Amino acid sequence: MTTMQNPGGSTPQVAAQTAAGLPGTGVNPAVAPATRRTEPYLRLQWNDTVTGAVGYLVVHTLRAGLATGGTRMRAGCTLSEVEDLARGMANKTATFDLPIGGAKGGVDFDPKDPRAVEVMERYFEAMRPWLDAHWVTAEDLGVPQHLIDEVFDRLGLDQSFHAAIRRAADPAATCERVRRGLNAEVEGGFLLGDVIGGYGVAHSCLAAAVSWGQVPAETTVAIQGIGTMGGSAAYYLHEAGMKVTTVADAAGTLHCADGLDIPALLDLRDEYNEVDRTRLPENVEQLPRSAVLSAEADILVPAAISYAITPDNSFDVRARVVVEAANAATTPEAEAMLAARGVPVLPDFVANAGAVAWAWWLLLGQVDDAPDTSFDRLRTVMHTKVAQLMAAWTEQGVTPRETGHRWADDPAPVTGPVVIP
């Protein structure tokens, strides 16, 4: 395993901050950019001698000895990608006043490879010193929560929130509370832990529509990715009365101008969250995968991969607002180009932070396994934060990301150890 130092130079996020305030970006130049921490606390690289897979851990910030952030697996995963994601996690935890720092894990390996679970187990074994005492992880792209928990169980760590649970006054009781919350059943046959993040994204979209005075029934949405996050966001938007006209998976884009039957569509997904095209209704049009970005919709939700919206395709976006359900879904350059056209981007560290915020509310005993309690709290928080982001954009020309960064740069202080009941 290699501990890496920062090689120097700017990151995409630094470029984004440099762009803030320049003419034509839609940012008020009179508002100075917030100070950003660009250097992570720690970088680790792991090399799998069996398969050649490479894994990374980046801890961007450590607060009270803890950091939180999921673990992803995809072919082509890079250190810079994991570093960007860890920075985003630090923004999430600070923005939502959570008493921990931000981190991220990533493995450069195909999650569909039959050896993927073995690779994951060796990676977590290598990262065990951090998992045991400092790093709380969870599912991410290519790594479902149940597989993480199975691997943790084999390693004798019980559950992926282990580093926090072990600090509790009664670790067994806390672990049981976490398990009950994650596995609480909700309407639609889902589990609360699987859908809470998408529920938060859905209400970010609803709050954005409210900010411009549009009712759900008159609002259209396009969603790139219908896995755990995108699929649950689509479900709750559909339930709220919004018209989800376009969705995309790895096989392409599906479109229906009158609105897709989202619950029926989700039932057609396979284990890789791809829709069975042979069972689609006749009124569903099949389009190229990239077509989702140019869909005629009020709201675009990139919920699949990082860096989905780039300078090359940003002018294809026709939506009124972009809501990032995927981490780092929009490159800084593309976001500046969208802002210049009057299209705000609700940043991932607010829009998709519902899952991490809820997980820590659960750990701290502030919510339990009653879904309505969790939904009510997250809905209230999301509507409040998005309303403030959109007000700053419409009234002052300050991008939602810049407003969010100001929140993240002034987190609630952590003056002692995190107390977990």
Side-chain angles (χ1 to χ4, degrees):
M1 188 183 298
T2 304
T3 304
M4 291 169 284
Q5 304 299 318
N6 190 291
S10 65
T11 65
Q13 278 66 26
V14 175
Q17 299 310 309
T18 302
L22 294 178
T25 63
V27 181
N28 184 350
V31 181
T35 301
R36 307 299 310 134
R37 176 191 171 104
T38 59
E39 291 301 306
Y41 179 87
L42 174 82
R43 300 179 182 87
L44 291 178
Q45 177 175 315
W46 165 79
N47 297 280
D48 185 19
T49 58
V50 178
T51 65
V54 180
Y56 308 100
L57 168 63
V58 176
V59 178
H60 189 76
T61 51
L62 200 63
R63 302 183 75 200
L66 289 171
T68 190
T71 299
R72 66 172 44 192
M73 178 182 282
R74 74 171 190 88
C77 183
T78 66
L79 173 62
S80 62
E81 174 185 345
V82 177
E83 188 171 331
D84 285 350
L85 298 171
R87 184 180 296 108
M89 285 303 305
N91 287 334
K92 289 181 188 181
T93 60
T95 297
F96 282 75
D97 291 328
L98 304 177
I100 57 319
K104 203 74 177 186
V107 181
D108 179 4
F109 197 73
D110 183 356
K112 296 182 181 180
D113 189 298
R115 301 169 294 171
V117 176
E118 297 172 9
V119 170
M120 191 191 316
E121 184 167 352
R122 289 192 291 273
Y123 167 78
F124 283 139
E125 178 63 44
M127 299 298 169
R128 183 161 183 161
W130 279 88
L131 291 167
D132 193 47
H134 304 289
W135 176 30
V136 175
T137 193
E139 70 175 3
D140 201 271
L141 182 70
V143 184
Q145 184 65 38
H146 73 273
L147 282 183
I148 288 184
D149 286 340
E150 287 175 15
V151 170
F152 268 62
D153 189 56
R154 288 200 292 273
L155 294 176
L157 296 174
D158 296 326
Q159 208 274 339
S160 72
F161 297 177
H162 170 81
I165 291 172
R166 70 190 293 269
R167 297 183 178 212
D170 187 343
T174 300
C175 187
E176 180 59 26
R177 182 175 70 244
V178 167
R179 290 187 187 278
R180 287 199 311 268
L182 289 169
N183 295 301
E185 294 185 1
V186 299
E187 183 180 353
F190 305 115
L191 300 180
L192 180 57
D194 291 338
V195 302
I196 193 71
Y199 181 87
V201 171
H203 279 278
S204 295
C205 296
L206 287 159
V210 168
S211 74
W212 67 66
Q214 192 159 313
V215 298
E218 298 174 356
T219 307
T220 54
V221 187
I223 302 177
Q224 181 197 44
I226 50 172
T228 301
M229 186 72 76
S232 53
Y235 179 85
Y236 286 111
L237 287 169
H238 180 83
E239 288 293 295
M242 277 195 177
K243 189 184 294 184
V244 181
T245 60
T246 312
V247 301
D249 61 11
T253 295
L254 304 176
H255 174 76
C256 178
D258 294 329
L260 296 161
D261 183 346
I262 293 299
L265 198 66
L266 297 181
D267 285 342
L268 300 181
R269 294 179 299 179
D270 63 16
E271 61 181 311
Y272 301 111
N273 293 310
E274 294 177 16
V275 175
D276 182 353
R277 265 57 178 179
T278 66
R279 299 164 59 195
L280 285 172
E282 293 183 359
N283 66 337
V284 175
E285 186 179 0
Q286 298 187 45
L287 302 171
R289 186 167 61 179
S290 61
V292 67
L293 298 180
S294 59
E296 292 280 3
D298 296 308
I299 301 173
L300 173 62
V301 182
I305 59 173
S306 300
Y307 320 124
I309 302 177
T310 68
D312 290 339
N313 61 29
S314 67
F315 281 104
D316 295 334
V317 174
R318 303 182 187 183
R320 187 168 181 171
V321 61
V322 174
V323 178
E324 289 189 319
N327 293 317
T330 312
T331 69
E333 297 81 5
E335 185 167 343
M337 294 167 72
L338 288 167
R341 292 169 48 206
V343 180
V345 175
L346 295 187
D348 57 351
F349 64 88
V350 176
N352 79 2
V356 66
W358 173 81
W360 280 86
W361 296 340
L362 182 63
L363 272 165
L364 296 171
Q366 297 171 2
V367 296
D368 53 23
D369 58 350
D372 287 347
T373 303
S374 296
F375 287 150
D376 289 348
R377 178 168 183 171
L378 183 55
R379 181 175 62 251
T380 300
V381 170
M382 280 299 182
H383 278 263
T384 300
K385 289 188 179 296
V386 172
Q388 293 171 346
L389 295 179
M390 293 301 290
W393 167 254
T394 58
E395 296 169 12
Q396 304 170 39
V398 179
T399 67
R401 189 175 302 276
E402 182 60 29
T403 299
H405 278 162
R406 292 179 179 281
W407 296 343
D409 286 336
D410 188 26
V414 178
T415 57
V418 178
V419 179
I420 298 174

